[in-house]
Amino acid sequence: MFIPVPETHGRSIAKAVSWRITGSIDTFALSWLITGNVVSAGSIASAEVITKIVLYYLHERAWSFIPFGRRMILPAD
């Protein structure tokens, strides 16, 4: 018997925000390296923040319906 252990919406949002901060720092650094311009790098990193938080959140919630890779938790007798 499989008992799902769903994540709360709050946890998914917190994970999305923390991952986005990491991703935005990476985007800024790569943009700065490629363009050589701090203002352009900041513009690029800023533009993708909100859309990627939303996409990550939706991705996380979609995966909550997929049983692949989950371990079964059996109830104690």
Side-chain angles (χ1 to χ4, degrees), residues 43-63:
S43 296
I44 293 167
S46 297
E48 52 91 61
V49 170
I50 299 300
T51 58
K52 290 197 177 168
I53 288 174
V54 171
L55 289 172
Y56 181 83
Y57 175 79
L58 294 173
H59 182 262
E60 276 289 301
R61 299 311 294 180
W63 267 94

Side-chain angles (χ1 to χ4, degrees), residues 4-59:
V5 183
E7 292 192 345
T8 64
H9 291 282
R11 179 176 166 84
S12 292
I13 290 169
K15 287 171 62 178
V17 170
S18 70
W19 177 247
R20 193 65 254 138
I21 290 168
T22 303
S24 293
I25 291 168
D26 178 60
T27 298
F28 176 80
L30 289 173
S31 299
W32 188 9
L33 182 69
I34 292 167
T35 67
N37 184 315
V38 174
V39 174
S40 293
S43 296
I44 293 167
S46 297
E48 52 91 61
V49 170
I50 299 300
T51 58
K52 290 197 177 168
I53 288 174
V54 171
L55 289 172
Y56 181 83
Y57 175 79
L58 294 173
H59 182 262

